[in-house]
Amino acid sequence: MSSPYQLSLHPEAEFSRLIDDPKVFAIVRHGERTGVTVGDVLLVDVGLRPLAEPVLEVWRSGESLTRGRFEAIEYVHSDTFFFGVIKLDEGQDASLSEMTRQAYQSIHNVLEETGFPALTRMWNFFPRINEEQDGLERYRSFCLGRHDALDEWYFTESLLPAASALGSHAEGLVIYFFAARQAGKQVENPRQVSAFHYPKQYGPKSPSFSRALYKSWGKSQHLYISGTASIVGHKSVHVGDPMAQLDETLRNVRVVIEQAQSQFGVRCQGLHDLNNLRVYIRHPEHAEMIMQRLQVVLGDAYQNLVVVWGDICREELLLEIEGHYLE
Ligand code: 3EB
C-alpha cells in the first residue's frame, strides 16, 4: 500500500483551484478567523495568523471518501484513515476543561462508531492559553479535560497520539485530527521527560501526547512529530533567548527523528527530509531572525516551512516546531 494521503503547502492565491480539486479532502488555512466550512472539502480555519506564505496546508487522497457529521464533529474518511474536526464556542456555562472533555468524548464516540480506534495526530487551538481562569491557567485546564476524557477511554500512555496545543488569536476551541484502524508506534525523546510524565508543578493533569508517532501504511512510512519546544528534562531552557530556544528545539526535533530511525527504521534522514515544518512564534517581531536562521539550517527544505503567530503552552517558551515525514 502506498500512502493513503498526502500533504502539500500552497500560497493563498491557489485557494480557488485547490477547493475544486477532487482529490483534496481538507484544507487547513492560516488567517485571522476560526471556523469549519463543510463542502466537498473540509475547510479548517484555525485562528493563527500567518507570518509568511505559504498559508494553506492541503490534504489530498486518491482513496474513495465518505463524508459525515457526528455530534459536533465534521469528518471525512476512507477505508484506511479518518480526518475530523470539531469547533466549540466557549459560552458562560462550561469551563474550558469541561468543553475539552466533551470534545474528546465526541471524538471517542465518532471513532468508535466508524471503526478508527487509533488516534495518530491531533491539533488543539484556543485563545488566551496562558491566561488564568478560575484559578488555573487555561492550558492546564485544557490538559485536565483532555486527560479525564482519555482516562475514561481505553487509553494507555503508549497509545497517545502526536499532538500540538497552541494559543490562537481568535475565539473558539478548534481540534482537528487523524486516526487509523491500527495503532502507530510511540516515539519519545530521551532528552526530555515524556510529557505524560511531567511533574505536578506543570498542572494537575499531565499533557496527553507522544513526542512523535510512527505509522506505516504498507510500504509507506509516516512520522508525525508533535509540537516541540526548548525543553530539556521537564524544564524550559534559554528563557528570554529566542535564538537559543530555536537551536534547542531543532536539537529536540533531530533527536526524535534519530529515535524513529533507530527504533523503527524510519527512512527520514533529518529536518531537510520533512514534508512540512510548522513554526509557531509567540512574538511576531522575532519572526524575521527565526526565519533567517531556518533558511540557513534547512536549505532547500525552507520552502516546506509554515510560520504562524501563536502562543506556546508555557509562558516562557517563545517558539514551537512540529513536522511531518510522509512518503
Ligand atoms: C511541551 O513539550 C511543549 O499539550 O498537546 C507541545 C506539543 C506542547 C503538544 C499538548 C504541548 C502539547 O510540553 C508543549
Side-chain angles (χ1 to χ4, degrees), residues 225-289:
I225 302 174
S226 293
T228 304
S230 180
I231 295 174
V232 178
H234 56 73
K235 295 202 173 82
S236 307
V237 294
H238 313 299
V239 174
D241 185 344
M243 296 316 271
Q245 287 199 13
L246 175 61
D247 288 344
E248 198 70 63
T249 299
L250 292 172
R251 199 167 305 140
N252 279 328
V253 175
R254 286 195 193 94
V255 168
V256 167
I257 294 171
E258 284 162 16
Q259 285 296 111
Q261 290 167 347
S262 64
Q263 290 177 357
F264 304 113
V266 175
R267 289 180 284 269
C268 177
Q269 294 301 309
L271 294 170
H272 60 278
D273 254 359
L274 298 175
N275 298 60
N276 85 314
L277 284 150
R278 193 196 278 171
V279 184
Y280 304 93
I281 297 178
R282 182 184 290 277
H283 300 300
E285 60 269 27
H286 291 159
E288 199 175 309
M289 61 180 173

Side-chain angles (χ1 to χ4, degrees), residues 1-57:
M1 190 172 107
S2 56
S3 177
Y5 58 85
Q6 295 85 37
L7 167 65
S8 56
L9 309 176
H10 300 267
E12 178 84 59
E14 292 178 29
F15 182 78
S16 54
R17 174 178 73 76
L18 292 160
I19 203 100
D20 287 331
D21 181 334
K23 289 204 168 149
V24 172
F25 63 88
I27 298 178
V28 175
R29 181 166 63 176
H30 295 294
E32 287 184 17
R33 58 182 291 271
T34 325
V36 176
T37 312
V38 183
D40 289 339
V41 173
L42 258 182
L43 176 62
V44 182
D45 285 294
V46 292
L48 297 168
R49 285 174 219 203
L51 297 170
E53 287 275 15
V55 306
L56 304 174
E57 293 173 1

Side-chain angles (χ1 to χ4, degrees), residues 60-101:
R60 231 188 219 91
S61 178
E63 300 191 350
S64 97
L65 300 169
T66 302
R67 293 170 176 79
R69 186 192 164 90
F70 183 97
E71 296 171 1
I73 295 177
E74 300 291 347
Y75 65 82
V76 48
H77 73 80
S78 73
D79 272 352
T80 55
F81 75 92
F82 184 104
F83 176 88
V85 58
I86 181 165
K87 177 183 176 252
L88 296 175
D89 294 315
E90 289 187 70
Q92 303 295 331
D93 30 331
S95 63
L96 180 61
S97 63
E98 180 53 26
M99 260 183 58
T100 305
R101 206 189 61 71

